[in-house]
């Protein structure tokens, strides 16, 4: 009989090997699906995983695009992972991302057409503030009234979406846009734009911020007392309390950091790649980031890789979609499979699989 | 303006509008009562919508269609069950991945079903009852799923409250370790609960594609699964409050459209936010009471179980 | 919010036509690779589905001289620009971007690939010579539907399910009302805003709410069949197909339909590229150009009503009649068009006012 036995500490070998195993399993299962759809599975898998990186026709453009797509995912996921480690579940990053964009764009648009250098930094601050504010609602309700933060943060996503729609149709509507919903294109206004910093690299301020945040989070978790408290609170809440960790303070801090970073991601998107406030501005980065955080095993460097892998499946999926005529739904299902496998094989990191009877264990 | 709206009809419409979210929410309530948080309701609903549609078209029988929807969505929920219960994956992440996968798969299955009209489901013939003024329109002029949705709430309520099955389910959701120590098969019970949740979400989805619209188009459930999740919370895990919550959420939409049709100018977006804000308010009021007990949330919600001994 | 609509400034139209000949390619192409970017899934049964039908019809017409690639479900904004660039890199000669929200992305990518032609549906920006825009005069179809609605209603109440308060939809509401009123002076119109292009459940509720207010003819500017399914439940209520034919609800409640037909335009543009006669332009065609098709008027409509509707259709198609012809006043009673005066395209493209007789305010 198969049996699971908890490892005393997570296996280093499997921590590195499981993602590779998951990708291989996904290639097999996905290949079967593509074959069923009448496509050449090898070609499809190659187009998704290889072409964006190495194909001579596309790679020069697609490779930097990985950063553009992964940037917001990494920025949000890194923030979320701190809370997740401490057992604080902010799943409303999508809402905080929206509010960051709304606040940031609001400040910028209010100042239009002033052209000075300090507008963009001001917008970043406003974006961080918007995301932080939206995360503070569940945080304060949690600390004051013990209200479940999973649910409140999720509910606030819907509210944020309605606010976004109201803004795009109302106060932020471009007066020169012929009555169509949507704001001015911020990426075309020099003082508000978040452009590509070095041509051909995909680097914009959001990507720079994401890389900075990954490093900061790594240092925080390894060296700083707060990182220690976060890890302790997640693993042994009672011990944390005895060690003088204030759970309330931790909730406020973790929610605040994750909200602020999600807000920043929203601001960098709305001023850069997305360009404007519109009803469909949010495309699910906040939710995808939750998955990225778990794929990265809540570890900053892992998240960096997971974000890039996720971006690769998006971009490779796009290529496969139009080169091979794969339905976009097949790509969606393929991504779902990849996530399933990645989540499933994580078991091997924390558990040993044993054959035999029940008694011999620990 | 308000005088132009016939309340009987308004109530009848909101009863119909709420059916998919009631079904999905009551299923999710059972899942959460067992201590499992499955955020993949939207994915399961849309699988139910397409599987139900395909079955109904293939067999020509709408009742079999609902069965097909339930089976299809339950099968999808089994993926979630396997991953979270056996592979101990994180429930939040797995649920989100389930929605992604369900949306993709449903669209693949649905290719070739655009523009097909499914067999019709009629209203339940209640004869003269339907002709009673006011009450007849509200209560006796619906298809069978409307009655089924209310009955399912009554059934879940009764089972949770009065039966041994309900007791075990709640025990598992409160403390899996204690339940395990008492000899209950925690994993098996949770898997069954997850499948029940899947089947109910599937019937809810099939209601959209077979009765509400009735047609198959990609993305047909349009976010109903997410609302169902909110309603479980609003209901504070109490079955009858699911009905109340669903009528509140469904009712606001129906009401604002009716107000517009009657010529009233209303701020639609701000009105649409209201149910979510009310839900948060309800949560706060409940949780600020006498600690966890009054919140009524299953204590082990979202935690995975592994029997170490 | 996705896609669509509006065309700004009729002046640009004249400019493009004037410059047309000079910007033409001297030389044709042996074979054309055409790319299509879609905002929804092909299976949406509405907007994207119709664009894809246009693509297929174009392939049918041009045979092995054309090869196409397409991509579904491309979100507007950041992802659009990448998808467009990748398509350009793949060697497309011409790329059609089929949603309003692709406007800025289309122009940005077009600037980087001057040798590739870009065609943007429903937009108004043509920043570089290789960007053309195209749109359809859906309000012409609404005039025909409005005529049927005015003649068919028994309660003298017609309803309109609006998606978003944007000029294209306002044009549709005004055109429907003007032509219903023309044949039935007692008619009134109720407008319900659904704030979505596609949400079957909400559309069904909107239809139900209208029927409850005694409305017996429903015009929809949203893409699902749900309003028709709802209308089917109440005897005597009729509606119209939107975007696609929605023939499965024939003969009633669907008594006719307003169909987006992009096939002639796609065929014409790719053919021009093959012939070497391609030139930048701004197209806003309607029934006459074949972009707006009136779906078969069923027998649920009496013969004389059908004849009147067809007469309106034919006079618009021939150019003899413009749906916005004076005398017309704005909602507040101020004069808009004098007797015999015809609305100019610039005003129509930015239309954010109701005509006299429509009740309620446009939400802002």
């Amino acid at each position: 009989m198969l049996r699971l036995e908890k490892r005393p500490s997570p296996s280093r070998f499997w921590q590195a090997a499981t993602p590779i195993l998951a990708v291989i399993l996904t290639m097999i299962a996905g290949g079967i699906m593509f074959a069923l759809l009448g496509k050449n599975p090898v070609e499809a898998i190659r187009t998704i995983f290889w072409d964006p990186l190495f194909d001579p026709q596309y790679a020069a453009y697609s490779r930097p695009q990985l950063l553009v797509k992964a940037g917001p995912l990494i920025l949000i996921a890194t923030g979320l992972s701190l809370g997740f480690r401490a057992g604080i579940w902010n799943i409303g990053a999508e809402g905080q991302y929206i509010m960051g964009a709304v606040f940031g764009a609001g400040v910028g648009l209010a100042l239009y057409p002033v052209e000075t250098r300090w507008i963009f930094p001001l917008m970043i601050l406003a974006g961080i503030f918007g995301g932080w504010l939206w995360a503070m609602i569940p945080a304060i309700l949690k600390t004051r009234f013990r209200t479940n933060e999973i649910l409140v943060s999720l509910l606030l996503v819907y509210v944020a979406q309605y606010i976004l729609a109201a803004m795009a149709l109302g106060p932020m509507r471009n007066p020169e846009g012929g009555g169509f919903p949507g704001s001015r294109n911020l990426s075309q206004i020099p003082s508000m734009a978040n452009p590509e910093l070095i041509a051909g690299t995909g680097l914009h301020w959001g990507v720079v911020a994401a890389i900075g945040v990954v490093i900061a989070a790594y240092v925080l978790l390894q060296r700083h007392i707060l990182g220690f408290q976060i890890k302790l609170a997640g693993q042994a809440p009672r011990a944390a309390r005895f060690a003088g960790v204030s759970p309330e303070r931790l909730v406020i801090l973790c929610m605040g950091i994750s909200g602020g970073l999600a807000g920043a991601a929203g601001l960098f998107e709305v001023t850069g790649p997305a360009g404007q406030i519109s009803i469909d501005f949010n495309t699910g980065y906040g939710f995808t980031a939750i998955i990225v955080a778990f794929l990265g095993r809540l570890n900053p460097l892992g998240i960096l890789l997971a974000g890039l892998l996720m971006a690769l499946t998006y971009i490779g999926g796009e290529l496969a979609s139009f080169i091979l005529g794969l339905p976009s739904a097949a790509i969606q299902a393929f991504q779902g499979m990849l996530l399933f496998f990645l989540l499933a094989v994580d078991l091997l990191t924390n558990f040993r699989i044993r054959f035999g009877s029940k008694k011999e264990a620990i | 303006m308000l005088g132009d709206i016939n309340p009987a009809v308004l109530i009848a419409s909101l009863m119909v509008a709420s059916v998919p979210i009631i079904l999905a929410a009551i299923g999710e309530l059972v899942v959460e009562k067992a201590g499992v948080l499955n955020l993949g309701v939207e994915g399961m609903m849309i699988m139910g919508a397409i599987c139900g549609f395909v079955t109904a078209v293939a067999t020509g029988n709408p009742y079999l269609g609902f069965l097909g929807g339930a089976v299809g969505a339950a099968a999808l929920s089994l993926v979630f069950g396997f991953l979270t219960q056996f592979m101990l994956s994180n429930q939040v992440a797995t649920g989100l991945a389930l929605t992604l996968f369900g949306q993709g798969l449903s669209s693949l299955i649905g290719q070739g079903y655009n523009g097909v009209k499914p067999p019709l489901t009629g209203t339940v013939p209640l004869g003269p009852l339907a002709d009673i003024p006011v009450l007849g329109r509200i209560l006796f002029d619906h298809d069978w799923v409307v009655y089924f949705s209310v009955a399912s709430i009554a059934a879940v309520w009764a089972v949770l409250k009065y039966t041994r099955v309900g007791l075990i389910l709640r025990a598992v959701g409160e403390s899996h370790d204690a339940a395990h120590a008492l000899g209950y098969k925690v994993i098996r019970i949770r898997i069954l609960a997850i499948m029940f949740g899947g089947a109910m979400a599937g019937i809810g989805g099939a209601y959209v594609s077979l009765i509400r619209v009735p047609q198959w188009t990609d993305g047909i459930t349009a976010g109903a699964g997410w609302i169902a999740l909110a309603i479980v919370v609003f209901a504070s895990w109490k079955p009858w409050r699911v009905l109340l919550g669903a009528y509140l959420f469904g009712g606001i939409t129906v009401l604002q459209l009716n107000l517009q049709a009657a010529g009233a100018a209303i701020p639609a977006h701000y009105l649409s936010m209201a149910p979510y804000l009310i839900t948060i308010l309800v949560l706060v009021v409940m949780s600020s009471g006498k600690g966890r007990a009054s919140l009524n949330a299953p204590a082990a919600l979202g935690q995975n179980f592994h029997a170490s001994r | 919010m996705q896609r669509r609509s509006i065309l700004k400034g009729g002046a640009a139209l004249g400019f493009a036509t004037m410059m047309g000949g000079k910007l033409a390619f001297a030389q044709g192409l042996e074979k054309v690779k055409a790319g299509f970017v879609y905002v929804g899934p092909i299976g949406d049964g509405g907007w994207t589905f119709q664009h894809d039908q246009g693509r297929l019809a174009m392939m049918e017409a041009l045979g092995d001289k054309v090869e196409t690639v397409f991509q579904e479900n491309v979100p507007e904004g950041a992802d659009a620009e990448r998808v467009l660039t990748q398509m350009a890199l793949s060697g497309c000669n011409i790329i059609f971007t089929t949603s309003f929200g692709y406007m800025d992305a289309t122009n940005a990518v077009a600037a980087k690939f001057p040798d590739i032609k870009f065609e943007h549906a429903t937009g108004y920006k043509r920043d570089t010579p290789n960007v053309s825009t195209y749109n359809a005069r859906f309000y012409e179809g609404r005039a025909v539907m409005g005529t049927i609605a005015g003649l068919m209603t028994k309660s003298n109440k017609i309803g309109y399910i609006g998606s978003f308060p944007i000029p294209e939809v306002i044009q549709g509401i005004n055109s429907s009302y003007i032509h219903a009123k023309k044949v039935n002076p007692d008619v009134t119109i109720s407008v319900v805003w659904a704030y979505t292009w596609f949400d079957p459940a909400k559309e069904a509720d909107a239809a139900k709410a209208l029927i409850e207010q005694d409305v017996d003819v429903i015009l929809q500017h949203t893409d699902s069949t749900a309003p028709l399914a709802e209308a089917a439940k109440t005897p005597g209520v009729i509606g119209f197909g939107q975007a696609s034919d929605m023939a499965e609800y024939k003969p009633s409640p669907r008594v006719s339909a307003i169909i987006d037909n992009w096939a002639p335009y796609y065929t014409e543009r790719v053919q021009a590229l093959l012939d070497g006669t391609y030139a930048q332009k701004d197209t806003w065609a309607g029934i006459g150009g074949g972009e707006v098709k009136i779906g078969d008027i069923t027998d649920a409509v009496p013969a004389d009503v059908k004849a009147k509707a067809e007469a309106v259709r034919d006079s618009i198609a021939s150019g003899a009649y413009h749906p916005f012809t004076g005398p017309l006043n704005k909602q507040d009673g101020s004069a808009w068009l004098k007797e015999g005066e015809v609305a100019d395209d610039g005003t129509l493209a930015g239309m954010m006012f109701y005509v006299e007789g429509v009740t309620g305010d446009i939400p802002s």
Side-chain angles (χ1 to χ4, degrees):
Chain A
M1 191 186 139
L2 277 176
R3 211 161 42 74
L4 294 177
E5 184 185 305
K6 190 150 177 83
R7 293 176 194 274
S9 66
S11 154
R12 290 231 153 213
F13 168 75
W14 282 112
Q15 226 161 13
T18 47
I20 300 167
L21 179 66
V23 171
I24 294 172
L25 287 171
T26 312
M27 286 180 176
I28 297 169
I32 295 172
M33 178 179 76
F34 294 140
L36 286 175
L37 289 167
K39 307 287 174 190
N40 179 342
V42 179
E43 204 180 348
I45 304 272
R46 200 204 63 216
T47 312
I48 294 172
F49 287 104
W50 184 265
D51 284 3
L53 295 172
F54 304 111
D55 183 87
Q57 204 172 354
Y58 302 104
Y61 175 76
S62 302
R63 225 178 292 149
Q65 283 295 313
L66 283 179
L67 291 178
V68 175
K69 192 81 192 170
L73 289 175
I74 295 169
L75 196 54
I76 302 172
T78 310
L80 292 177
S81 69
L82 297 178
F84 290 173
R85 275 183 174 239
I88 298 159
W89 299 98
N90 174 10
I91 63 169
E94 184 80 358
Q96 294 141 22
Y97 172 86
I98 294 173
M99 293 313 280
V102 166
F103 270 66
V107 165
L109 290 169
L111 292 170
Y112 184 86
V114 178
E115 283 282 340
T116 53
R117 197 178 274 242
W118 45 264
I119 291 185
F120 187 60
L122 199 65
M123 289 170 73
I124 297 179
L125 289 180
I128 293 173
F129 176 75
W132 175 83
L133 189 72
W134 213 238
M136 273 306 109
I137 300 172
I140 289 171
L141 293 180
K142 166 106 176 166
T143 51
R144 290 289 296 273
F145 305 108
R146 273 175 295 177
T147 314
N148 185 322
E149 79 279 14
I150 298 185
L151 308 164
V152 176
S153 61
L154 180 65
L155 290 168
L156 284 171
V157 175
Y158 306 110
V159 179
Q161 257 159 356
Y162 284 115
I163 291 177
L164 176 71
M167 287 299 145
L169 283 160
M172 292 192 189
R173 195 196 283 230
N174 180 1
E176 288 149 33
F180 210 86
S183 72
R184 292 177 194 278
N185 194 319
L186 304 174
S187 65
Q188 293 175 356
I189 302 170
S191 62
M192 303 181 196
N194 170 26
E196 195 175 23
L197 296 172
I198 308 166
T201 58
L203 274 183
H204 61 68
W205 286 114
V207 178
V208 175
I211 295 168
V213 163
V214 165
I215 296 168
Y218 183 80
V219 173
L220 178 83
L221 286 170
Q222 296 299 323
R223 301 260 179 270
H224 196 274
I225 180 74
L226 179 63
F228 170 74
Q229 291 180 344
I230 284 172
K231 286 194 273 190
L232 190 63
Q235 283 159 7
R238 274 171 59 84
R241 206 174 276 256
F242 289 130
V245 179
S246 153
E248 282 78 23
R249 189 171 150 263
L250 217 51
V251 169
I252 297 282
L253 266 173
C254 287
M255 293 291 283
I257 292 172
S258 55
L261 290 178
L267 181 274
F268 289 126
E269 276 305 288
V270 80
T271 49
Q276 60 180 157
I277 290 284
S278 63
I279 293 175
D280 290 326
F281 161 71
N282 58 316
T283 45
Y285 278 125
F287 288 116
T288 312
I290 295 173
I291 301 174
V292 168
F294 280 100
L295 296 186
R297 313 302 188 218
L298 305 183
N299 172 322
L301 299 178
I303 288 170
L304 184 71
L305 295 175
L308 288 170
L309 176 66
M310 202 70 201
L312 182 64
T313 64
Y314 275 112
I315 293 173
E318 283 164 6
L319 289 177
S321 172
F322 81 85
I323 296 175
L324 306 174
L326 271 174
S328 65
I331 304 295
Q332 229 179 349
F334 183 78
Q335 282 179 328
M337 280 183 202
L338 176 64
L339 302 176
F340 286 152
F341 282 119
L342 276 163
L343 291 165
V345 296
D346 190 32
L347 182 79
L348 298 170
T349 311
N350 292 311
F351 289 86
R352 238 186 279 269
I353 295 178
R354 292 266 167 152
F355 300 90
S357 80
K358 239 182 174 180
K359 294 292 166 223
E360 63 174 289
I362 313 171
Chain B
M1 292 283 181
L2 280 169
D4 292 342
I5 297 174
N6 178 347
V9 175
L10 190 68
I11 295 168
S13 330
L14 78 86
M15 282 177 78
V16 173
S18 322
V19 170
I21 43 181
I22 289 178
L23 289 167
I26 199 74
E28 177 69 12
L29 182 140
V30 170
V31 180
E32 292 189 13
K33 269 289 179 190
V36 179
L37 181 64
N38 183 355
L39 294 183
V41 181
E42 176 77 4
M44 299 188 298
M45 278 188 91
I46 198 150
M47 270 301 277
I50 185 58
C51 292
F53 192 84
V54 169
T55 315
V57 169
T59 61
N61 183 331
Y63 299 98
L64 283 179
F66 279 95
L67 190 66
V71 171
L76 184 71
S77 74
L78 213 48
V79 173
F80 175 86
F82 175 76
L83 286 171
T84 56
Q85 302 307 306
F86 290 109
M87 305 306 275
L88 305 179
S89 66
N90 177 276
Q91 296 178 4
V92 171
T94 312
L96 293 172
L98 193 75
T99 292
L100 187 68
F101 184 71
Q103 284 173 337
L105 190 61
S106 66
S107 162
L108 282 181
I109 298 173
Q111 291 186 344
Y113 282 92
N114 294 125
V116 176
K117 209 173 169 184
L120 284 183
T121 315
T123 54
V124 178
L126 291 170
L129 284 178
D131 298 329
I132 303 171
V134 186
L135 271 186
R137 182 79 195 256
I138 297 177
L139 293 178
F140 303 116
D141 193 23
H142 293 296
D143 52 75
W144 67 271
V145 192
V146 174
Y147 303 113
F148 174 77
S149 69
V150 179
S152 68
I153 287 180
V156 167
W157 169 75
V159 167
L160 283 178
K161 189 160 176 150
Y162 295 112
T163 69
R164 205 176 130 69
V165 173
L167 189 72
I168 296 171
L169 195 78
R170 283 185 291 146
V172 167
E174 282 306 318
S175 165
H176 42 227
D177 291 322
H180 177 69
L182 288 170
Y184 297 129
K185 306 253 181 246
V186 173
I187 304 277
R188 188 179 302 171
I189 291 161
R190 285 190 170 165
I191 290 275
L192 288 172
I194 290 167
M195 285 179 71
F196 175 78
M200 294 303 279
I203 299 173
Y207 188 77
V208 177
S209 65
L210 289 176
I211 296 182
R212 274 285 271 173
V213 177
Q215 186 137 56
W216 167 253
T217 36
D218 284 9
I220 196 167
T221 48
W226 297 104
I227 296 177
L229 280 169
I231 288 172
V232 178
V233 182
F234 172 85
S236 52
W237 297 272
K238 292 193 167 126
W240 287 110
R241 290 199 195 161
V242 165
L243 193 68
L244 189 70
Y247 285 177
L248 175 70
F249 276 75
I252 293 253
T253 310
V254 171
L255 179 69
Q256 66 106 337
L257 292 169
N258 274 281
L259 282 171
Q260 285 196 47
I266 45 126
H269 292 108
Y270 297 101
L271 202 58
S272 304
M273 281 176 211
Y276 298 101
L277 295 174
I278 294 171
T279 304
I280 292 174
L281 202 67
V282 168
L283 269 176
V284 170
V285 169
M286 284 186 321
S287 52
S288 63
K290 292 166 238 69
R292 192 109 207 185
S294 64
L295 180 54
N296 202 28
L301 185 61
Q303 297 167 11
N304 279 336
F305 171 70
H306 171 63
S308 51
R309 277 178 299 278
Chain C
M1 153 110 186
Q2 297 184 332
R3 66 161 108 129
R4 298 214 177 170
S5 202
I6 79 164
L7 192 100
K8 204 178 166 195
L13 206 114
F15 168 77
T17 324
M18 189 179 76
M19 295 294 287
K22 288 176 192 162
L23 289 171
F25 271 164
Q27 212 154 6
L29 293 169
E30 288 278 294
K31 184 169 176 170
V32 165
K33 184 171 176 184
F36 289 81
V37 183
Y38 299 141
V39 72
I42 288 170
D44 73 355
W47 180 256
T48 294
F49 177 77
Q50 288 303 124
H51 280 285
D52 199 56
Q53 290 295 305
R55 177 182 71 89
L56 294 171
M58 181 263 284
M59 287 175 75
E60 177 112 331
L62 301 178
D64 58 5
K65 288 218 191 85
V66 66
E67 177 197 346
T68 63
V69 293
F70 65 89
Q71 178 130 17
E72 308 167 83
N73 275 329
V74 178
E76 294 166 349
D79 298 290
E81 193 163 331
R82 181 175 58 249
V83 167
L84 277 167
T85 308
Q86 284 168 347
M87 237 179 218
L89 290 170
S90 80
C92 285
N93 307 104
I94 183 167
I95 297 174
F96 295 90
T97 57
T98 64
S99 180
F100 175 82
Y102 298 147
M103 184 161 70
D104 291 341
T106 304
N107 281 285
V109 178
K112 289 187 213 151
F113 294 91
D115 295 338
I116 300 174
K117 307 296 164 205
F118 289 83
E119 297 268 351
H120 179 225
T122 73
Y124 54 81
K125 275 191 197 164
R126 290 171 299 279
D127 292 347
T128 47
N130 57 334
V131 181
S132 294
T133 49
Y134 61 104
N135 198 357
R137 296 177 189 266
F138 298 111
Y139 67 86
E140 294 188 352
R142 302 278 168 201
V144 182
M145 305 300 122
T147 306
I148 300 176
L151 291 166
M152 290 297 286
T153 179
K154 296 192 177 61
S155 62
N156 292 331
K157 284 183 177 174
I158 62 176
Y160 200 104
I161 303 174
S163 44
F164 291 92
I166 56 171
E168 178 196 310
V169 181
I170 310 278
Q171 290 160 18
I173 294 168
N174 284 334
S175 177
S176 304
Y177 175 73
I178 291 168
H179 294 87
K181 178 108 177 163
K182 203 168 263 182
V183 293
N184 179 353
D186 297 326
V187 84
T188 59
I189 192 165
S190 309
V191 181
V192 172
W193 297 102
Y195 292 101
T196 176
W197 288 107
F198 177 84
D199 181 342
K202 203 169 185 186
E203 292 171 52
D205 284 333
K208 195 181 261 182
L210 285 168
I211 293 169
E212 221 25 68
Q213 296 296 324
D214 272 342
V215 163
D216 60 356
V217 182
I218 295 173
L219 298 114
Q220 61 177 100
H221 214 125
T222 50
D223 286 356
S224 93
T225 50
L228 286 172
E230 197 57 48
K233 290 178 192 163
T234 316
V237 176
I238 57 168
F240 304 91
Q242 155 74 6
S244 65
D245 195 28
M246 302 191 176
E248 60 274 23
Y249 286 95
K250 273 180 177 178
S252 185
R254 175 228 168 272
V255 296
S256 184
I258 169 166
I259 304 170
D260 310 353
N261 178 30
W262 304 104
Y265 184 75
Y266 291 156
T267 312
E268 175 207 319
R269 296 303 273 167
V270 175
Q271 184 69 57
L273 210 50
L274 288 164
D275 296 346
T277 56
Y278 186 93
Q280 179 185 38
K281 66 173 182 169
D282 173 18
T283 306
W284 198 16
I287 298 178
E291 289 194 5
V292 177
K293 253 169 62 178
I294 303 300
D296 176 36
I297 302 174
T298 66
D299 294 339
V301 174
D304 60 321
V305 175
K306 183 174 175 175
K308 278 184 190 154
E310 283 174 346
V312 172
R313 179 192 69 192
D314 295 341
S315 64
I316 293 174
S318 70
Y321 172 67
H322 190 292
F324 291 103
T325 304
L328 283 173
N329 290 343
K330 292 187 181 180
Q331 188 182 30
D332 58 12
S334 62
W336 174 35
L337 296 174
K338 291 195 290 284
E339 176 82 42
E341 193 186 356
V342 166
D344 65 275
D345 282 354
T347 310
L348 285 182
M351 187 176 237
M352 285 302 277
F353 59 88
Y354 285 142
V355 294
E356 194 173 40
V358 179
T359 51
D361 298 321
I362 297 170
S364 59

